[in-house]
Structures are given as structure tokens and as C-alpha cells.
Amino acid sequence: MPGRAAPLASYCILAVLCTGCLPSSCQRTPSRAVSPADSLSREITAGMVPDTLRFDGSLAPPVTRQMKYPRTVLFGDQGSVVVSDARRNSLFYFDAEGTFVREVVWEGASIPYLAGLHADTVAVFSPGTRRIDYIAGAGPAHTVQTLPDLPETALQYVTTDGLTAYLKVTGRNIHPFLARIDRQGRILAKTPLTGDTWRNAGPLRTWGDSLLSFSGFFPVVDVLPSQGRRDSLVLQGFDSPMLARTHAFRQGKGRSAPLVMSSAAPAGDLLFVLNIRPGWLQIDAYDRLGMLQHILLEPDPGFNKNYYPIDIAVIRRTDTEYRMAIAIVEPEPAVRLYTWQVPAGNTQTASAYLGS
């Protein structure tokens, strides 16, 4: 049975978490002008040949437990998969072969968002109830209350490294900030972030000893090292049909920024970004300097303007093989699995086009 029905406020939060406009719904921008940086990115991608992903099938829970809104997905160390469902308020577990294992429902889950997976414990953030639950077995082994006094419309993103949780808060009429919270719920540090809601609305990820803060609306990543200076990393080679609308929004035209990347996941020395476009799956792979290395497309891509992949998880199987899980909410809720084999001798990278 699915979890208890979420309150209306929780569904409002779900709508806010998917704020901005998608390629299929944004108002058209007459101008095709883009920024100089975006123009350079288009020159880079024009000379690259995409790789093709291998489709390995979709995760299939029992008919009586169909996914309704697979919000986030993560791989376990051995290739198992965990999916959070924001409408069922539950977690789905699958083994490394993609076979359904169990669904976990617990009191207090509200639009559950996977924040981390360490050994057999899953850290789950519920923005509706402002808590992080550490799920082991059939329910929470430990719960941490985050910041209960935030406005209901606040956008919140959480990631953990097992011991410490990082919470990013932004939203309209909110000064964005990043808080570091321990397992007892104590705030260890609180850092203000620059920029408005659009600049900071996006997930958090850890990559080695760095914390990555994404914007879903601009091809830029803030890198927050454990020690040292905060830096902004522009994704060089990022191309999208939405860039003209992004440029127009920066010029003060339009009320909302277009969504250009819904999620990203590091694996090994590559950062895999979901490049949102109407019709098909495209994943861009960048190195640690933000240089585009590979463009990955699903096999035989069709066109469906309502296609919306919302999250990505990646695990590195060997030096040359990666496994990917893509959570999709439209046209039908699903989590699809793909394999990518790195081409031998591939030298078509952004670095080559930039002369470095």
C-alpha cells in the first residue's frame, strides 16, 4: 500500500521543486541570440559526434505497486537501485539485476528526496516535514529535524556524505544559503550564497572532497571545496535549444527562466548532466574543469514534446563502462537503465576545440 496522502502544502512544494518552464511549455522567444559563451559552446558541440547508450530495460515493480512520481534515484555499491516516489511517499528497492525487492513506507515521509546512500542506509530528505530520515531495513533508524521555520515555498536541496548533511535553501524573498548539519541536527556552519532563486535552484552533489551546487536554469556549477575558495564552473560545451530563452531572460525578458538541466551525477572523473530537450534523452559528460568530453544519446531517439527526465544516477563498473539510471515522470513514470561503453581512442573533447 502507498503511504498516506500528502497534505496540499506538500503537493505545492512538489510543484515549486519543478519550477521554471520546460522546453515544451516556455513561451517562444522571437530572438535567437545567445551569449558569447553559449555561442562558443555551440561551436564546440557542432564538431562532436555523439555516442549511443545501450538501453537495458526499465525497473518494474509489481502491478499493485506502480510508480507514480519517481523523483530521485541512486545506485548502491553493488549496483542495486533505490528510487524515491514523491506521490507514493515511499522508497522502491531493486537488486543489481533490476528485480524488485521491496517498497518501504514510513510515517513522516513527504515528497521523499534521496540525499545519499551509504552501505545499507539511505538518507532521505522530506521537504514537507523538514526532516532527514536515515532508512535501514523497514523504516528510519535515525531522524534529523532540519529547519522548521522556513516558508512553505522555500526550495530545499539536501545531500549527505554519511556523517554530515548539506542543506541548500533558496526561493522567492529568501536570501539563499547553505547549511552544514550534523547527525544530531546541529548547524555546524551557515554560508550565504550569491545570486537569485534561478541561480541557486538545483541539486547538491558531493564529488570527492568537493560539494557541487547546481543551477537547473543555467549551465554553471558552484564548487564548494572542504577547504579553500568557492568557485563557479561554467560548463563549456553545453548546448541546448533553450539557450536563446535563457539569454532573453538574462536581458529581463520573461517571468521565468527555462529549465536546461534537471539533474547531474558524478562518477569517476566525469560529471554526467541531464541536458533537457523535448523529445529524447541526452546526457553530457564533463571533466573536472567543466570541459565537455562526450555527448550521449539514447538509441533510436524519437520525438515526444512531453518527455521529461527528472533525475540521473551513474555508477562506474569498470575503467570504460558506466551504468546509468534515469528517472522519468512524463509521458509515463519510469526508471530506465542504460549502459555506456567509453569509445577507445576518443579525442573529441571541448579541450581540443579550445586549443588546450
Side-chain angles (χ1 to χ4, degrees), residues 169-189:
V169 178
T170 187
R172 186 175 300 174
N173 300 321
I174 294 175
H175 296 294
F177 65 87
L178 180 72
R180 187 159 56 94
I181 303 171
D182 67 13
R183 287 289 291 265
Q184 284 69 50
R186 295 172 300 204
I187 296 178
L188 303 177

Side-chain angles (χ1 to χ4, degrees), residues 156-171:
Q156 303 171 76
Y157 307 88
V158 173
T159 192
T160 74
D161 59 10
L163 298 176
T164 303
Y166 300 90
L167 168 68
K168 180 171 65 171
V169 178
T170 187

Side-chain angles (χ1 to χ4, degrees), residues 102-137:
R102 66 185 184 276
E103 182 183 14
V104 174
V105 182
W106 71 101
E107 188 69 25
S110 176
I111 321 173
Y113 183 102
L114 296 175
L117 200 166
H118 305 277
D120 60 350
T121 300
V122 184
V124 186
F125 175 58
S126 290
T129 52
R130 313 295 169 81
R131 56 190 269 181
I132 303 171
D133 291 309
Y134 291 86
I135 307 297

Side-chain angles (χ1 to χ4, degrees), residues 54-70:
R54 187 186 77 204
F55 178 56
D56 295 330
S58 299
L59 298 178
V63 175
T64 56
R65 297 175 182 266
Q66 290 300 298
M67 296 180 190
K68 294 184 178 181
Y69 200 105

Side-chain angles (χ1 to χ4, degrees), residues 22 59 112 128 143 187 227 346:
L22 300 177
L59 298 178
T143 295
I187 296 178
Q227 295 180 349
N346 187 300

